[in-house]
């Protein structure tokens, strides 16, 4: 009888679940419940009445310079349309350049970045504006970003990390993520906090561009399938919870360590 009741509750949740759409060409005054009435921002999405069983789809080819933070249990995040994976990034495009010295340009920037990218290539941090002397070198000083460039940087060519994470969750669980790209932050690209239960599922995800762990989990269980963790200091750090299942996935270009598991209460499995 109890089993039947649980199944009925699950079916009821499916019947009343919603699908929300987010697109760079959307409108935050729209309902968000169709491709023609998509939200534009993650901030608007997170103020929607999300509930267990809901699905959130981001338009392929879109870029969101915001933090994606969980506000309910049992959500599914994915992509719709055609083109490359939707990108959620912790980096902002830098603008407002002024000439300061030979081949050195400066622009205002609110938060000190730990990483800067020049047309997608990671830059080289130097200790002072006077030390900015070569290709892809940069320095942050007194609220300004200084970069080396023979001419004024073109719009969108330089990005600087301005948010600590791209995806963060704590207090909610049993979330599912697929077909997304999470990138270029000041701390940890994917952060799973200390107060989660259940299993967080990641399929066909790329996470990258962290000066620390690209993926960090402190609680719950993590299941990663057909995904890529690349170009961070550490690929994955699992420091709590009930363990990791990692299959058919790649850890590449992580400068210090690919995978660290410590302090979990259950077994972990890594397989090709």
């Amino acid at each position: 009888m109890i089993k039947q009741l649980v199944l009925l509750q699950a079916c009821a949740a499916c019947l009343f679940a919603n699908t929300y759409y987010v697109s760079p060409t959307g409108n935050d005054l729209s309902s968000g419940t169709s491709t023609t009435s998509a939200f534009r921002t993650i901030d608007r999405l997170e103020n929607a009445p999300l509930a267990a069983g809901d699905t959130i789809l981001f338009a392929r080819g879109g870029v969101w310079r915001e933090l994606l933070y969980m506000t309910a249990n049992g959500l599914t995040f994915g992509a719709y349309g055609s083109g490359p994976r939707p990108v959620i990034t912790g980096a902002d495009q830098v603008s407002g350049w002024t000439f300061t010295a030979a081949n050195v340009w400066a622009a205002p920037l609110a938060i000190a970045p730990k990483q800067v990218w020049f047309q997608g290539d990671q830059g080289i941090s130097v200790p002072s504006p006077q030390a900015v002397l070569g290709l892809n070198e940069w320095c942050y000083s007194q609220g300004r970003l200084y970069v080396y460039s023979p001419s004024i940087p073109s719009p969108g060519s330089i990005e600087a990390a301005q948010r600590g994470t791209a995806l963060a969750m704590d207090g909610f669980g049993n979330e599912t993520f697929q077909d997304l790209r999470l990138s270029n932050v000041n701390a940890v690209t994917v952060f799973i906090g200390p107060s989660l239960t259940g299993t967080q599922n990641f399929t066909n995800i790329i996470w990258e561009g962290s000066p620390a762990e690209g993926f960090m989990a402190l609680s719950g269980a993590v299941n990663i399938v057909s995904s890529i963790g690349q170009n961070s200091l550490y690929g994955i750090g699992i420091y709590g919870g009930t363990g990791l299942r990692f299959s058919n996935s790649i850890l590449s270009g992580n400068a210090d360590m690919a995978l660290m598991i410590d302090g979990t209460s259950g077994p972990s499995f890594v397989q090709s």
Side-chain angles (χ1 to χ4, degrees):
M1 182 67 182
I2 293 175
K3 184 176 180 181
Q4 290 174 332
L5 180 60
V6 170
L7 288 172
L8 286 171
Q9 290 174 333
C11 290
C14 292
L15 286 174
F16 292 104
N18 293 309
T19 298
Y20 293 93
Y21 299 85
V22 190
S23 168
T25 60
N27 187 329
D28 284 346
L29 297 178
S30 298
S31 67
T33 54
S34 72
T35 57
T36 57
S37 62
F39 295 143
R40 184 176 63 85
T41 67
I42 292 174
D43 182 69
R44 175 63 184 89
L45 169 70
E46 291 176 350
N47 284 285
L50 301 178
D54 286 351
T55 297
I56 298 92
L57 300 178
F58 292 89
R60 287 184 175 272
V63 177
W64 285 266
R65 301 181 188 278
E66 303 177 75
L67 166 66
L68 177 59
Y69 188 79
M70 299 302 100
T71 59
N73 293 304
L75 301 176
T76 296
F77 294 82
Y80 75 94
S82 59
R85 293 176 179 86
V87 175
I88 300 171
T89 176
D92 287 344
Q93 295 177 337
V94 184
S95 60
W97 298 103
T98 57
F99 179 81
T100 64
N103 298 323
V104 178
W105 300 79
L109 194 63
I111 297 170
K114 293 186 177 179
Q115 304 184 104
V116 173
W117 292 265
F118 293 73
Q119 295 183 329
D121 294 330
Q122 189 167 347
I124 302 164
S125 176
V126 297
S128 71
Q130 293 73 28
V132 177
L133 300 172
L135 186 67
N136 290 357
E137 291 184 346
W138 65 273
C139 174
Y140 184 80
S141 177
Q142 298 182 338
R144 303 181 81 194
L145 178 67
Y146 295 80
V147 301
Y148 179 94
S149 181
S151 60
I152 185 170
S154 58
S157 63
I158 296 179
E159 298 190 5
Q162 292 290 278
R163 284 167 293 284
T165 63
L167 167 61
M169 62 189 88
D170 200 15
F172 298 100
N174 292 311
E175 317 288 14
T176 297
F177 305 89
Q178 53 197 27
D179 303 323
L180 301 175
R181 187 168 195 148
L182 309 161
S183 64
N184 296 359
V185 300
N186 253 350
V188 175
T189 308
V190 177
F191 177 71
I192 299 175
S195 303
L196 264 76
T197 58
T199 300
Q200 322 321 315
N201 292 287
F202 298 82
T203 302
N204 197 31
I205 297 292
I206 295 176
W207 69 89
E208 61 192 351
S210 167
E213 286 86 353
F215 189 116
M216 179 190 290
L218 305 181
S219 64
V222 176
N223 182 37
I224 298 174
V225 180
S226 301
S227 296
I228 300 173
Q230 62 186 10
N231 302 333
S232 296
L233 185 62
Y234 306 100
I236 301 176
I238 306 293
Y239 305 127
T242 56
L244 166 71
R245 285 184 175 271
F246 184 85
S247 61
N248 193 34
S249 298
I250 296 171
L251 297 173
S252 174
N254 298 293
D256 197 329
M257 186 180 297
L259 174 62
M260 176 71 175
I261 301 174
D262 185 33
T264 59
S265 62
S268 292
F269 303 89
V270 177
Q271 62 188 51
S272 58

